[in-house]
Amino acid sequence: MQIDEEQLKKFILESGLISKSDLDAVLKQAEAKKQKFGNILLTEGKISETDLKRMEAFVLGIPFINLATQKIDFSVLSLIPEPIARNYNIVAYKKSENSLEVAMLDVDDLPVIDFIKKRSGLKILPRLTDTTSIKSMLVQYRKSLEVEFQDIIQKESTALGSASDEESEKTSEKSETELKQMAEDLPVVKIVDSLIIHAVLQNASDIHIEPGEHELTVRYRIDGILHDAMVLDKNAGAGITARIKVLANLKLDEKRLPQDGRFKKEQDGEKISFRVSTLPTFFGEKTVMRILKENTHGFSLETLGFHGEGLERIHASLQQKTGMVLATGPTGSGKTTTLYTMLDILNKPEVNISTVEDPIEYQMPRVNQTQVKPEIGLTFANGLRSLLRQDPDIIMVGEIRDTETAGLAVNASLTGHLVLSTIHTNSAAGAIPRLIDMGILPFLITATVKVIIAQRLVRRLTANKEKYFLSGAEVKNLAKIVDLDRMLSFLKAEKIIGADDTWDKIPFYKAIRVSELEDGYSNRIGMHEVLKITPTIKEMIIKGSSQDDIEIQAKKEGMMTMLEDGVYQAVLGITTLEEVFRVVSE
């Protein structure tokens, strides 16, 4: 079903939504960029997506459907699996005896229509819709599945919880065989599977299973913030912990000592790794599962939030044959993802890339990845020593956490290797005193370190957001935290705002809370500062200048601080000022 471009132009002009001069300018741009003129109309903001889709539907002679406020029966919605709906922007919304009406963004996508026809055995009637409708349907998937899982979990945990107090007292004395039997009980298996599916659907990064005095609390960390997911019967705790221990190959009858393990699952064709940690607490064992999607790929430095001068500095450092590139920040700030994205850029047939990590978070083709095992003597330092005998060109060390690893990483970069690593500090300039504290001499730092990246993650706004402008008082408050003139020069240099724009004309955005879980944010993006070790900064390191002095000099040389980068993301409408200040508390 191809759209007749000429007819579409005619309808758009006749609608009066756009002037002829504007349309001619867009057509020239579309020809130069070799893109569809409809896409240019959208990116330039000349027409709304809903209006464009209505026009396209009219030209194709098929109905346009707005599903933004409709509630679809889950039995119809689930005829198209959620991953297919999400990846191909297609949802089923109306079923008759022998046909199924589907709403989609691109009715040219014939293979997916064919797939749904074979799966459902019904005649498919395609309808055109807009992104807002698709998004609201995807939220319905999650809500319907949540209700379904909640029902399973509550029903099964009640069945488990009906065990008498006497039995629950005996649980702590159960033998390994009895615990294994408990872990294979159908209710326990169902609960753990549902908890995992539920968490993956919500894009959670961690599952916390916490025993209390009277109940078992399950919490999910979503976009960096913990949310209560559900409260189960306390007696379900022993069985759930035993089941997770079986999956992670941990000792079932060891409850006095912490244990660590891992296991893998496949869900909707996606390989997912789980890192499991158990810890004895006053009311029983607490279990935390970290969720790692193994085949997460396709990141670029731009999609992670890098831009402008900082992006150029990183690309320049990755073209070096020797030296060190360091990523810094607290746990869970996306440092490892940044390193993997750099490795992806460097991953070419002519280079040998080796890594030593704890844990291996993503698996990469053609990269030799080694997992640290301290219990058998394979530490970062020992792993790095062995790597250097493996003829590597590029080395990635998961984390520099001690003097020995730091010394070896510096020596590796001096002897003709490009070394990528992470280090725990709060700012880019803070990595220098940290390395000196680890016993690295200042002249070795200046000889090896090329670039230091500091980062934090902020939550992204959804399409459901509200535009506003800062009042005079708000601009004054912002000026106390950020140098507004310097910030304007950054925004103008990257052509984000007009040459004459002032703060009262720059729009910001607020999140609109829809429900307890949907608070107007979804997923996260990085705020960064990229410190280049320039000749001036090298001199300052040799002289023993303070961290603050180095940061002042770096700012003079064009470094955008993390807070400034956060304000930059807020001006773009990617996040809010409130979220930036929540994450960067200075």
Side-chain angles (χ1 to χ4, degrees):
M1 248 188 278
Q2 285 288 329
I3 293 171
D4 185 327
E5 298 267 299
E6 290 304 317
Q7 213 177 344
L8 184 60
K9 284 177 212 167
K10 186 181 161 198
F11 278 125
I12 287 172
L13 269 178
E14 284 175 0
S15 71
L17 290 168
I18 183 170
S19 67
K20 189 170 188 316
S21 60
D22 275 355
L23 184 62
D24 289 341
V26 165
L27 290 170
K28 277 182 192 166
Q29 213 177 327
E31 201 174 327
K33 290 185 177 178
K34 294 186 170 51
Q35 287 184 14
K36 287 183 178 177
F37 81 94
N39 292 348
I40 304 283
L41 280 173
L42 286 178
T43 52
E44 293 284 310
K46 303 286 183 193
I47 192 170
S48 75
E49 192 207 12
T50 306
D51 285 335
L52 180 64
K53 291 292 177 190
R54 283 184 193 279
M55 298 281 178
E56 287 179 355
F58 193 69
V59 170
L60 290 166
I62 60 170
F64 171 84
I65 300 293
N66 186 347
L67 300 169
T69 55
Q70 287 195 35
K71 180 87 178 76
I72 310 298
D73 188 276
F74 189 60
S75 62
V76 176
L77 198 62
S78 59
L79 288 170
I80 298 176
E82 200 251 4
I84 300 287
R86 189 176 294 281
N87 291 334
Y88 295 94
N89 292 309
I90 179 168
V91 288
Y93 70 95
K94 194 175 180 184
K95 179 180 176 265
S96 64
E97 200 175 318
N98 56 4
S99 66
L100 180 68
E101 290 186 45
V102 298
M104 51 201 306
L105 291 183
D106 180 9
V107 288
D108 288 347
D109 203 340
L110 299 177
V112 76
I113 293 174
D114 197 40
F115 166 79
I116 294 159
K117 186 179 177 181
K118 283 177 186 165
R119 185 187 164 90
S120 64
L122 298 166
K123 184 185 177 187
I124 304 301
L125 305 174
R127 308 289 185 241
L128 214 54
T129 191
D130 56 13
T131 308
T132 312
S133 293
I134 294 285
K135 279 185 176 167
S136 73
M137 290 301 102
L138 291 175
V139 167
Q140 280 192 39
Y141 267 103
R142 200 170 79 186
K143 282 183 177 165
S144 305
L145 286 164
E146 273 174 34
V147 170
E148 197 179 297
F149 293 139
Q150 290 272 16
D151 286 349
I152 291 172
I153 288 164
Q154 293 299 349
K155 192 169 80 185
E156 303 296 355
S157 75
T158 309
L160 282 175
S162 61
S164 68
D165 289 343
E166 202 177 308
E167 278 183 339
S168 68
E169 274 171 36
K170 286 179 191 169
T171 307
S172 56
E173 298 147 28
K174 282 184 190 280
S175 70
E176 188 172 355
T177 315
E178 287 173 308
L179 285 165
K180 196 161 191 173
Q181 203 174 342
M182 186 190 270
E184 281 159 13
D185 272 1
L186 197 59
V188 175
V189 172
K190 265 189 179 178
I191 288 179
V192 173
D193 284 353
S194 300
L195 284 177
I196 288 169
I197 293 167
H198 196 189
V200 171
L201 275 173
Q202 292 196 53
N203 274 329
S205 60
D206 301 84
I207 304 171
H208 291 240
I209 300 162
E210 303 170 342
E213 189 177 357
H214 303 295
E215 72 276 307
L216 186 75
T217 308
V218 178
R219 298 197 286 170
Y220 294 149
R221 190 177 291 281
I222 301 166
D223 295 337
I225 293 173
L226 271 172
H227 298 269
D228 278 6
M230 58 200 71
V231 175
L232 307 178
D233 192 285
K234 186 181 189 298
N235 293 330
I240 291 170
T241 305
R243 173 66 187 160
I244 293 167
K245 281 182 174 181
V246 165
L247 290 171
N249 208 13
L250 301 177
K251 289 179 185 170
L252 285 173
D253 54 348
E254 179 55 87
K255 296 177 181 182
R256 298 163 306 159
L257 291 172
Q259 294 188 76
D260 292 301
R262 57 193 303 153
F263 66 93
K264 289 183 185 184
K265 271 181 93 73
E266 195 163 308
Q267 191 173 312
D268 300 322
E270 191 173 31
K271 284 182 184 168
I272 301 166
S273 246
F274 295 86
R275 235 163 62 206
V276 176
S277 168
T278 66
L279 181 77
T281 67
F282 189 74
F283 294 113
E285 281 181 287
K286 175 179 172 176
T287 308
V288 176
M289 290 192 274
R290 163 65 57 93
I291 302 169
L292 302 161
K293 293 181 182 178
E294 281 189 6
N295 41 5
T296 302
H297 60 276
F299 285 126
S300 68
L301 290 171
E302 288 86 348
T303 58
L304 295 181
F306 290 99
H307 56 88
E309 177 76 16
L311 183 64
E312 285 170 27
R313 287 174 171 184
I314 293 170
H315 279 301
S317 69
L318 295 180
Q319 283 161 10
Q320 308 286 318
K321 295 281 182 254
T322 64
M324 285 177 79
V325 177
L326 294 174
T328 81
T331 305
S333 59
K335 301 185 296 295
T336 309
T337 304
T338 300
L339 288 193
Y340 275 111
T341 306
M342 290 185 201
L343 283 186
D344 204 27
I345 294 165
L346 295 164
N347 194 1
K348 295 189 173 74
E350 60 268 23
V351 293
N352 173 21
I353 302 176
S354 293
T355 77
V356 55
E357 306 170 55
D358 183 24
I360 295 168
E361 293 199 15
Y362 306 117
Q363 289 173 347
M364 292 190 82
R366 303 180 72 96
V367 173
N368 312 291
Q369 295 172 273
T370 304
Q371 167 72 49
V372 165
K373 290 192 178 79
E375 65 275 14
I376 57 165
L378 180 53
T379 60
F380 274 118
N382 289 340
L384 187 45
R385 251 190 221 99
S386 303
L387 279 194
L388 291 170
R389 295 193 284 274
Q390 290 270 318
D391 183 33
D393 299 296
I394 295 156
I395 296 168
M396 193 260 261
V397 184
E399 187 189 332
I400 294 175
R401 55 170 77 146
D402 56 49
T403 302
E404 196 180 3
T405 311
L408 285 165
V410 165
N411 284 331
S413 60
L414 281 171
T415 53
H417 306 93
L418 180 62
V419 178
L420 310 182
S421 191
T422 71
I423 189 166
H424 281 285
T425 62
N426 287 330
S427 66
I432 294 159
R434 180 83 181 99
L435 286 170
I436 292 169
D437 186 46
M438 283 181 174
I440 306 300
L441 296 168
F443 78 89
L444 287 175
I445 295 173
T446 59
T448 54
V449 181
K450 305 293 179 196
V451 155
I452 304 169
I453 303 153
Q455 63 184 78
R456 298 284 189 286
L457 294 176
V458 282
R459 292 179 296 161
R460 276 176 172 272
L461 278 168
T462 61
N464 198 14
K465 56 190 176 185
E466 182 188 330
K467 186 194 279 193
Y468 73 99
F469 293 89
L470 295 178
S471 66
E474 285 170 327
V475 172
K476 276 183 188 172
N477 284 336
L478 188 60
K480 291 173 188 172
I481 307 164
V482 180
D483 182 335
L484 295 186
D485 294 335
R486 183 177 143 84
M487 198 66 235
L488 274 180
S489 67
F490 279 131
L491 293 167
K492 286 171 185 174
E494 293 197 31
K495 297 187 168 55
I496 303 301
I497 58 171
D500 302 321
D501 281 356
T502 51
W503 284 103
D504 56 340
K505 290 182 184 154
I506 297 171
F508 286 89
Y509 295 85
K510 282 178 182 168
I512 298 173
R513 179 180 278 276
V514 180
S515 67
E516 189 58 41
L517 269 176
E518 287 147 48
D519 53 4
Y521 296 100
S522 177
N523 294 324
R524 291 185 290 172
I525 192 166
M527 298 189 300
H528 308 93
E529 55 188 37
V530 183
L531 171 62
K532 184 182 177 185
I533 307 296
T534 60
T536 328
I537 288 173
K538 282 181 183 179
E539 277 177 37
M540 293 178 79
I541 295 169
I542 299 287
K543 277 194 299 189
S545 298
S546 72
Q547 176 183 328
D548 291 344
D549 290 342
I550 290 170
E551 194 164 298
I552 290 162
Q553 181 58 33
K555 284 170 77 173
K556 283 180 190 165
E557 292 177 7
M559 179 182 88
M560 190 186 272
T561 66
M562 211 180 310
L563 187 59
E564 287 166 342
D565 193 35
V567 174
Y568 175 92
Q569 307 277 13
V571 170
L572 287 179
I574 292 169
T575 189
T576 61
L577 284 174
E578 290 79 7
E579 177 66 6
V580 171
F581 298 143
R582 179 185 75 80
V583 173
V584 184
S585 46
E586 288 189 352

